[in-house]
Amino acid sequence: MLASLPMAPDWHCAEVGAGTGGVARWLAERCPRGQVTATDLDTRFLDSMARPAPMRVSRQDVTTADFPPGSLDLVHARAVLTHLPTPEQVVRRMANWLKPGGWLVIEDPTYLPAEHSPYPDFAALLAACGELLARTHGTDNSWARRIPVAMAAAGLTDLGMAADLSVCGRDETEDRYWRQCFAQATPALLESGLMTESRIQRALSHLDQPEFTDVAWMMISCSARRPLG
């Protein structure tokens, strides 16, 4: 979706929740005469990386951060707003940062119904992790489908929407990611009573079976533009 935008070398961009900086570096390569501001609450990975000249790092909370109104050509946030209590307010805040004609791109995950999976234990583990995030971080996995409505309410136009499936069992990198997520979540899942040790192990055993394939989540990507007039 980012690659489809009419990006110019002098664009000024903000990457919100930049993490390890992969998207911010990508933007900086395409905007060598502009500026890319990579923001995050925790900038340890950004501070330790080699950065292209147009890229700068800023420790910020998106719920309180404030770029000058009308100063940015692009604002991008991936897997950030789903964890916030008032994402619609943040969309309005980010829309205000855009220049006329500037673009906002928001990407967040949502889950398919666990009861539709042919692998009940694996689906139960995914659902339990979603419930754990909801309890501990206030994560709302239904938010992704509301992004276009929030963008329109913020006065943005030219809305676009796409979805990308995360498939388990067919990609070594994807499966390794999920194993790490489940390992990190296991102590809290057990402590909360959301899962038992035996059911977690049954769920994980699917990843060792060559015939296993299931959908973990969908990443919903939405773009919209601030009107020129």
Side-chain angles (χ1 to χ4, degrees), residues 40-212:
D40 210 306
L41 283 173
D42 183 349
T43 61
R44 75 183 85 171
F45 300 113
L46 298 169
D47 292 334
S48 63
M49 64 177 279
R51 299 194 293 270
M55 180 178 164
R56 72 180 187 95
V57 173
S58 178
R59 186 178 183 276
Q60 293 185 18
D61 179 343
V62 68
T63 63
T64 58
D66 211 7
F67 287 87
S71 63
L72 296 173
D73 298 284
L74 170 66
V75 179
H76 175 253
R78 181 174 63 183
V80 175
L81 273 66
T82 187
H83 302 298
L84 302 179
T86 55
E88 289 85 359
Q89 292 182 17
V90 177
V91 171
R92 289 196 295 271
R93 173 184 290 272
M94 293 192 295
N96 189 53
W97 301 340
L98 296 174
K99 298 177 183 179
W103 291 88
L104 176 61
V105 178
I106 298 173
E107 304 181 88
D108 273 309
T110 189
Y111 292 90
L112 298 179
E115 62 269 21
H116 296 168
S117 170
Y119 303 97
D121 291 319
F122 186 76
L125 179 55
L126 287 170
C129 287
E131 176 61 23
L132 180 65
L133 284 171
R135 293 183 185 183
T136 57
H137 290 71
T139 300
D140 180 2
N141 289 315
S142 70
W143 149 251
R145 294 182 65 179
R146 305 199 305 274
I147 297 173
V149 173
M151 287 177 157
L156 303 181
T157 60
D158 299 325
L159 273 67
M161 190 176 191
D164 184 52
L165 288 177
S166 169
V167 178
C168 292
R170 285 293 174 267
D171 183 276
E172 182 179 343
T173 301
E174 184 82 11
D175 290 354
R176 186 164 62 248
Y177 163 79
W178 282 107
R179 288 182 192 274
Q180 292 174 348
C181 288
F182 295 144
Q184 186 175 5
T186 289
L189 290 172
L190 296 174
E191 183 179 353
S192 65
L194 287 168
M195 292 287 284
T196 63
E197 179 69 37
S198 60
R199 195 166 198 196
I200 290 175
Q201 292 307 313
R202 290 200 304 272
L204 292 177
S205 69
H206 287 301
L207 293 172
D208 299 318
Q209 299 170 7
E211 72 278 7
F212 171 69

